[in-house]
Amino acid sequence: MLALLAAFAATAAATAPVKADISGAGATFPYPIYAKWADTYKKETGVGLNYQSIGSGGGIKQIEANTVTFGATDKPLKGDELDKNGLVQFPTVIGGIVPVVNIDGISAGQLVLDGPTIAKIYLGDIKTWDDPAIKKLNPDAKLPSDAIAVVFRSDGSGTTFNWTNYLSAVSPDFKSKIGANASVQFPTGIGAKGNEGVANNVKQTKGSIGYVEYAYAKQNKLSHTKLVNKAGKAVEPSIESFQAAASGADWNSAPGLGVILADQPGDTTWPLTSATFILIHKKPKDVAAVKDALKFFDWAYAKGGKAAEELDYVPLPDSVVALVKKSWGEVVGEDNKPVFSN
């Protein structure tokens, strides 16, 4: 009898349903923290996260096509886009986009750039590192006469949107010739896929400049630059400078809490600060999967703050988390009942 019961128990365990991983796709900007959260969450709950780091454009397309439970984007969708596709949007963390360079003799934080000068580099107007505009910002630096190798994102990218949105704000010439979007036509340089691709390309190319999320700069030991902010101060990227940029944000001012944090006022603000966002269908086809995804993000807000800070992201303020959870009430299943409740 004991042998029979043991055999039955083994068969039952073998045939018990295995909980599927949560599926998501999109922005490469938050991938380091999503990967860290996913690892810890699986150890605690047994539920994994299958996240494809394919760029914001890909994430938007996949959630619109219903091929993933959630999409991720650093370019927040506008109200009409959310309504058209029946989507709820909410932020997860705040981070910083940083210019990174590969110049012999220049270490992290040693070179100072400002928005108008970067705009001219990406327009192809400034071609060498010893250009007078760069020298003026760095009078004591030994700048080579090497040609500047411009690196940009080749895929549809929220990082590119935030980068070009900032450059458009500080340079009328850039705004008129290139503009702000997730995918633009730069007149010079080489493209690379994802934050990973840009980081690797800059690392391998002498004389190059690119733009990546700060965690990628640190992980790849790339030399970030300082930036002159709206107050005219040269600042370093840091949790503190990202927090300073986000501190005055009016999250209710944009549909789906889609606030743009670039070029904020203040002496200590980092001018290329950005939030990253999640997209979920208001009326999901797979209610159970969406419930699991919202449980994951609920856990991340409650327990993931320390991990976010260790990777140089800024956790959302409690007041913003409350707004996010309120928005989850729009995600409904059968009989229009909310999928998630605290």
Side-chain angles (χ1 to χ4, degrees), residues 284-313:
K285 289 184 178 180
D286 189 339
V287 173
V290 167
K291 188 172 184 178
D292 285 341
L294 294 181
K295 282 183 179 179
F296 170 76
F297 289 113
D298 183 56
W299 171 91
Y301 291 135
K303 297 185 177 182
K306 183 179 178 182
E309 289 177 348
E310 287 172 351
L311 289 171
D312 297 287
Y313 296 91

Side-chain angles (χ1 to χ4, degrees), residues 1-340:
M1 175 64 78
L2 288 174
L4 183 62
L5 287 173
F8 177 78
T11 302
T15 57
V18 177
K19 202 165 185 62
D21 286 350
I22 302 161
S23 67
T28 65
F29 178 100
Y31 176 70
I33 185 56
Y34 289 177
K36 180 64 176 176
W37 282 346
D39 181 61
T40 306
Y41 189 70
K42 186 161 188 176
K43 289 174 182 174
E44 287 191 17
T45 67
V47 178
L49 171 65
N50 177 18
Y51 183 74
Q52 304 169 52
S53 177
I54 59 173
S56 296
I60 292 169
K61 288 177 182 177
Q62 289 215 19
I63 189 61
E64 288 177 352
N66 253 312
T67 56
V68 289
T69 303
F70 70 85
T73 177
D74 307 324
K75 178 189 177 183
L77 298 190
K78 296 180 180 178
D80 57 347
E81 295 173 291
L82 294 170
D83 293 341
K84 176 184 174 183
N85 293 288
L87 297 171
V88 169
Q89 173 178 272
F90 56 90
T92 52
V93 289
I94 297 160
I97 300 164
V98 299
V100 287
V101 297
N102 184 343
I103 307 170
D104 285 338
I106 300 296
S107 57
Q110 189 174 349
L111 190 73
V112 176
L113 293 175
D114 61 15
T117 301
I118 295 173
K120 288 180 180 179
I121 291 172
Y122 272 77
L123 284 166
D125 297 336
I126 291 178
K127 302 179 185 296
T128 61
W129 284 113
D130 62 351
D131 186 276
I134 302 176
K135 279 187 168 183
K136 185 177 180 181
L137 292 165
N138 301 274
D140 299 324
K142 293 182 179 180
L143 294 166
S145 58
D146 299 348
I148 299 174
V150 170
V151 183
F152 57 83
R153 286 284 291 274
S154 59
D155 52 330
S157 157
T159 304
T160 293
F161 166 74
N162 284 288
W163 179 255
T164 57
N165 181 72
Y166 167 66
L167 295 181
S168 293
V170 299
S171 168
D173 201 26
F174 188 95
K175 183 177 182 179
S176 65
K177 292 180 179 178
I178 296 179
N181 213 329
S183 182
V184 298
Q185 293 295 318
F186 290 107
T188 186
I190 50 176
K193 188 175 181 180
N195 272 278
E196 305 96 330
V198 172
N200 287 332
N201 212 304
V202 171
K203 192 172 186 178
Q204 295 167 11
T205 308
K206 292 294 183 183
S208 59
I209 182 172
Y211 54 93
V212 296
E213 199 281 321
Y214 188 39
Y216 288 87
K218 293 188 74 174
Q219 288 173 1
N220 289 276
K221 296 181 172 59
L222 297 174
S223 295
H224 66 266
T225 76
K226 289 181 180 177
L227 271 181
V228 178
N229 64 18
K230 198 168 189 174
K233 307 293 185 181
V235 293
E236 286 266 10
S238 65
I239 286 181
E240 293 75 20
S241 61
F242 304 156
Q243 285 174 329
S247 63
D250 181 3
W251 293 91
N252 276 317
S253 66
L257 309 178
V259 176
I260 304 296
L261 300 174
D263 204 30
Q264 294 293 309
D267 286 356
T268 61
T269 61
W270 181 252
L272 270 163
T273 302
S274 171
T276 189
F277 301 86
I278 297 297
L279 299 167
I280 284 180
H281 282 283
K282 288 183 178 181
K283 293 188 176 181
K285 289 184 178 180
D286 189 339
V287 173
V290 167
K291 188 172 184 178
D292 285 341
L294 294 181
K295 282 183 179 179
F296 170 76
F297 289 113
D298 183 56
W299 171 91
Y301 291 135
K303 297 185 177 182
K306 183 179 178 182
E309 289 177 348
E310 287 172 351
L311 289 171
D312 297 287
Y313 296 91
V314 177
L316 294 183
D318 290 342
S319 58
V320 181
V321 172
L323 292 173
V324 168
K325 291 185 179 181
K326 183 179 179 182
S327 75
W328 290 354
E330 298 179 62
V331 183
V332 297
E334 295 180 358
D335 301 322
N336 281 336
K337 291 181 180 178
V339 168
F340 180 89

